[in-house]
Amino acid sequence: MQFPDLFQTSNLLFYERFEAYKDYLLGDCKPSEVTEFIAEYLERALEPSGWKAVWRTDIFEVLVEVTDVSCSSLKAVVQPCEPFLCECRVDCVNEQSIRDLLEVKEQKVPLQELYVVFEDSGEYDQTAMAIEHVRFFYQNIWRSWDEEEEDYFDYFTRCAEPRLRLHYDVLEERIPSELVSEYHVILTRCEQVYSQFNNLRNTLSNRDSDSDCELDNISMVEGMKMDGELENLKRKLKLIENPLLRYLFCYQKSPGSCSLKKKGPRPAGGRVMHVVCTSMSIETLTCLTRERLEPESCNQSQEIQFHKDILEAVNACFDGDLVLVCPGHYFVYSQICIADSIQIEGYGMPDDIIIEKKGKGDKFVECSGSHVKMSNLKLIQHNAVEGIVSILGGMTELENCVLQCDTTGITVKKSSQLLMKYCDLYGAKGAGVEIYPGSSCSLIDNGIHHCKDGILIKDFIDEVHDLPKITLENNVIHNNEGYAVVLVKPGTELDGARSETVQEANNLDANVPQVKESSDVIELESDETMHPVEETCIPVSSERVPEGNAKDEEHSTSYCCIASEEVDGNQAIVSELTANSRRKTMIHKKRLSTLGITKADDEQIMSQEMFVSIADNQFKRNGKGSFGTFLF
């Protein structure tokens, strides 16, 4: 006999589960009330008896009939159906062994292991759905340490909703696969540490008062270490689970970890010109020969290789090679990894040389070579998870390129450099350019438009004085949904500073370095000449982030808006980010003093100014203004 049909409840949509947990299962319960709320929901939704289900474990599946339900313990009293129907994955399981197992369990099995048998009458539809919601909750949302969390917040808003969104973002491939793997590794480690910590805590609580004090002290030290590691792991999980914080902080990759390893110089020596073309007309060949292959234009002994696929050409390159892309429309079905110093040049205008990403994938172009240059190209991205160009290390130069983005635009990671000139970037659902701490970014004569934000500068809580170096000159940043330029930085209180450090850091707002304009370039005065200047203080107004989960008190944030009509955008950016640099320097000094290091290298710290220059940038028709500060 075959098993009967079951209710198919595993493919529910996000909004269906969202409404069920928000309106029925969890409501506004606190972490300590979750079990009670779920039990009350099951008492209303479950049929108490008379329905059949498949009891499914990793070893067997058995058709059973439910005779009673205990909602408080999330268990059901069952008995095997007649005739006995079982499907086993091992040979040692038979009818008698199943009955013996049920007898040991007092005929009780977990509700999560029951899959309700389908009936046309509709009588058990609600029962099947309720069990599915409980099963999904304990498999994907609930964590064993949740019940010990602070009891002053709404569990659904704080924990359930972010984890539910994360689950569906992973299913729909909206998150980089590496970040998903990292999340599972952290979650597994967190569960292991919590289990060890819980066992140690139970051992200490059950130990007699006359036990060895020295062993108790050692166990206490171990427990403190475990507790510190556990809190750190939980913090990392929350950063990944929260959609906003995940976007701001977790899309990182260490320099030098490019998917393709560096080849270095060609073993036989010399450099190769790789010509990419779908088809070559006599006219194109003549122009190419006249302009690029004449004796005065190149080395006559240089080798030339022809390719139809640009990915094939890039993968064949060694240090110093040139990829010359002829006019055409090229499709790429996997990521382009550039680990060596090469040049990719379009032979013509960008709109005539189109490189389009097809299919889903984390990345499009990934650069880690010491000096990579791309020019005269148009890159088009679809169905992406990460940005159109990710710079993981080395120097990348973009000149006269058009970048049609899908998610984030260009990402400049730590210890990387970007020089971008005469480019047009648009269409990013995130920021057009993301600049990480410790990077160097020069944007000159570019257009950045129709993105969520123009430029996003990330200033992490763990990075004390490793500031990015940024040059912005003659850029037109317009028609973005949010701000032209956004600085993301921690609130001073969250950065672990002492109260006096907080006060001193806040006092620096009144000591913003004077900004002077000379030859249309705004420069910062040296530290020796800094003094309070009233006219450089920027009035700001705060407002709550317009997000659906703004109730979340832990991750509450605020935008500081600077109206472009009141303060020139270029000067606003310099003033705010210089003040932020000074705050971080003060916090760094205080941290050194707490460690017993009373003398810091001020010259080294102060040499790391955030901006080289800002000049003649135009900020037009951006939804929230020219410059904003995002506090987390």
Side-chain angles (χ1 to χ4, degrees), residues 268-279:
R271 299 178 179 180
V272 173
M273 178 187 294
H274 303 265
V275 179
V276 182
C277 57
T278 53
S279 62

Side-chain angles (χ1 to χ4, degrees), residues 329-357:
H329 198 141
Y330 303 90
F331 296 99
V332 177
Y333 293 88
S334 61
Q335 68 186 47
I336 300 175
C337 295
I338 307 173
D340 292 281
S341 297
I342 67 172
Q343 181 177 347
I344 304 176
E345 179 184 343
Y347 182 61
M349 299 300 294
D351 287 335
D352 297 328
I353 304 150
I354 302 172
I355 303 173
E356 184 173 354
K357 178 72 164 61

Side-chain angles (χ1 to χ4, degrees), residues 22-80:
K22 185 176 185 296
D23 298 335
Y24 301 105
L25 271 81
L26 301 176
D28 59 353
C29 72
K30 305 297 186 287
S32 61
E33 301 171 337
V34 168
T35 303
E36 180 184 348
F37 270 60
I38 290 179
E40 292 178 358
Y41 165 73
L42 291 177
E43 288 177 358
R44 297 191 304 268
L46 290 185
E47 291 291 334
S49 62
W51 45 279
K52 296 180 179 180
V54 172
W55 177 24
R56 182 179 295 170
T57 69
D58 295 335
I59 301 175
F60 59 80
E61 295 182 8
V62 179
L63 184 64
V64 297
E65 182 178 352
V66 177
T67 60
D68 193 13
V69 174
S70 174
C71 296
S72 58
S73 62
L74 301 179
K75 290 186 176 181
V77 179
V78 302
Q79 62 182 15

Side-chain angles (χ1 to χ4, degrees), residues 408-422:
T408 304
I410 299 172
T411 306
V412 189
K413 299 297 180 70
K414 182 179 178 181
S415 303
S416 304
Q417 300 179 54
L418 169 66
L419 173 58
M420 180 173 164
K421 300 188 297 183
Y422 315 119

Side-chain angles (χ1 to χ4, degrees), residues 289-326:
T289 303
R290 182 175 62 251
E291 296 177 9
R292 302 304 299 266
L293 304 180
E294 290 291 339
E296 60 272 11
S297 302
C298 69
N299 184 0
Q300 293 299 292
S301 63
Q302 184 176 15
E303 179 183 348
I304 300 177
Q305 296 181 9
F306 290 88
H307 309 267
K308 285 188 176 182
D309 180 41
I310 188 167
L311 187 60
E312 175 188 327
V314 171
N315 291 340
C317 285
F318 287 80
D319 249 358
D321 284 1
L322 167 67
V323 178
L324 194 63
V325 187
C326 295

